[in-house]
Amino acid sequence: MKKKVPNIENGTMARDMKELKDLGKQMEHLRDGLELAEDDRIADPIQLESIEGKDE
């Protein structure tokens, strides 16, 4: 019996070029730390820890 869906490789984020372009557009509109601070929000804590040197 033939598989309908091919094997998915680890790390694959986009299935096709259209989805890749959509992800790129989303990334262009991501807010940085200063923009988040204006709205009383914080950046992703995992990334924040590495910036503060807690992972060293």
Side-chain angles (χ1 to χ4, degrees):
M1 185 153 114
K2 188 176 179 182
K3 289 184 178 181
K4 293 182 181 179
V5 179
N7 290 337
I8 298 175
E9 298 176 18
N10 285 339
T12 302
M13 294 182 64
R15 296 180 195 150
D16 55 24
M17 187 56 85
K18 181 186 179 306
E19 191 172 348
L20 183 66
K21 289 179 181 180
D22 290 341
L23 287 170
K25 288 178 185 176
Q26 290 176 17
M27 291 179 68
E28 288 176 359
H29 297 289
L30 288 178
R31 298 186 290 175
D32 64 16
L34 294 175
E35 293 170 330
L36 290 172
E38 290 174 359
D39 291 334
D40 294 324
R41 297 176 181 242
I42 60 169
D44 181 6
I46 295 170
Q47 295 176 8
L48 187 61
E49 287 177 5
S50 63
I51 291 172
E52 292 176 352
K54 292 182 181 179
D55 291 337
E56 293 179 4

